[in-house]
Amino acid sequence: MLGVQLVQEQRLRLSITPEIKQSLHVLTLSGQELIRYLQDAAAENPLLELEEIPFSPYRSARGTERLWHGVYDPLLQARRAEPTLEEVLASQIRIAIAPEEQKRAAVYLAGCLNGNGYLKIELTEVQSDLGMSINEVTAGLKLLQSLEPAGVGARNLQECLLLQIHRDASAVPHAAQMVQAGLEALVPFHPARIAARLGITAQAAQRAYDYITQLDPKPCRSIGSDESPHYVIPDAAVELVNSEMVLSLYTAGNLRVSMNEACSSWIRKASPGERWVHRAAEARAILRSMQLRRRTLLRVITAVLDEQKRFLSEGPDAIVPLNLAVIAERIDMHESTVSRAVNGKTIRTPYGMYTLKAFFDTGVKTLSGTETSSSAVKRRLKEIIRSESVNRPYSDSQLAAVLAEEGIVISRRTVAKYRDELRILPSLERKRWV
């Protein structure tokens, strides 16, 4: 028979408390995300206080690490909103010498351009909207296409390139003829074929092609961009002082997080209820999460830079292969914790801004038995291609052979992969005939 009985047993189970979840979440946030998180938390919890902090560097016992409380606000360098493309063109139309009806049509067409300066509306539709003749709308389009930058108001890429060529007094001969013949002949480009098609020499075709590739296919993309600028607040900064590494941690937007003493004292003395006790516990948990984040970041960044010591003195080419397991073992943390600490973090170095992930690179074996980073191999590959003969560019096999002579052993397929990642054309399309 089956029976029912009560059994008491003891088990060990790993459980993540809400406070641990909060600490892990705070650790994954970048500097800018942390600012928003703290501001939202302070808006919901009256016990939390945020205040600007003055310059007050803190140096740790090691003498090579410090916590930086200096005023660092990149938003002070932010530019004001730029005029839109429509406003830029309208200001040119206002001072143009043309009939008013033509100006009105040009202003309307300027408002119909996309972000790259192309007109994606039919002239018959504009004619219907404005109640003008097709000749007046066409005249307005010609006025629009005469404005700066050259190529604005084009209806397709071919017309955009032709507008730029016709406005350029130093345009290379046969460039307009080559564009009019069709853009499909330019990709891929073969000088002998296009020369035979147009009745010109291969050298003339190559010069015209080189000129065309310097034209801007999106002439208005930098004017009145709808995308807001992205400003990066570094989480840390590193520099060499007397051949010694000095690491500085930036606080989150120069904000000091603390608990309101008056509210805390009131809660302890008056015992207002469970709600306020819960709020106080939340505030203390956020403060502990911030302290843990700071300590973890300091340990992780210090370990990463110790592994990449040559980077500070020799530059990006000296980055060595590195993975999360090495850092995790060095600082006695789990790989997932190191991954969270590295995610989204930026560090200011003597060679510019770098993400922490940039210091974790795969390795490529060399003949000496050591390893070099794949990013260093890519930079060397780019240098070799930049110095090659334009008449006889290296094939992927030849590039692999040149790297092998320097002690870097990679296959032709790996060379092709790196070249694609660098957005470098194959040898046939890099070849120049002049």
Side-chain angles (χ1 to χ4, degrees), residues 46 75 112 121 129 166 181 190 207 229 240 257 264 293 333 344 361 381 394-395 398:
L75 298 183
C112 300
I121 187 174
D129 292 342
H166 293 153
H190 194 286
R207 283 192 292 268
L240 281 180
V257 189
S264 300
R293 178 185 188 273
M333 284 187 179
D361 206 348
L381 183 63
Y394 293 118
S395 64
Q398 291 172 327

Side-chain angles (χ1 to χ4, degrees), residues 237-300:
V238 64
E239 57 184 337
L240 281 180
V241 178
N242 298 325
S243 300
E244 188 177 2
M245 182 185 74
V246 177
L247 175 64
S248 309
L249 280 185
Y250 289 108
T251 56
N254 304 314
L255 295 177
R256 175 183 289 151
V257 189
S258 60
M259 288 187 64
N260 188 295
E261 291 297 334
C263 287
S264 300
S265 177
W266 173 70
I267 291 173
R268 287 194 302 269
K269 295 178 180 179
S271 299
E274 185 178 349
R275 177 174 177 270
W276 286 101
V277 173
H278 180 65
R279 289 291 189 183
E282 285 182 348
R284 285 191 291 269
I286 289 178
L287 293 179
R288 287 193 294 269
S289 298
M290 290 293 296
Q291 293 171 357
L292 181 60
R293 178 185 188 273
R294 190 174 295 119
R295 289 197 300 267
T296 305
L297 272 182
L298 187 62
R299 292 179 62 189
V300 170

Side-chain angles (χ1 to χ4, degrees), residues 175-219:
Q177 183 183 1
M178 189 178 295
V179 172
Q180 288 172 341
L183 299 180
E184 67 279 356
L186 303 178
V187 184
F189 175 72
H190 194 286
R193 294 174 185 169
I194 193 68
R197 180 179 177 183
L198 300 180
I200 59 178
T201 64
Q203 289 77 7
Q206 183 67 68
R207 283 192 292 268
Y209 174 79
D210 292 340
Y211 170 79
I212 293 171
T213 56
Q214 295 174 5
L215 301 177
D216 192 349
K218 300 177 181 179

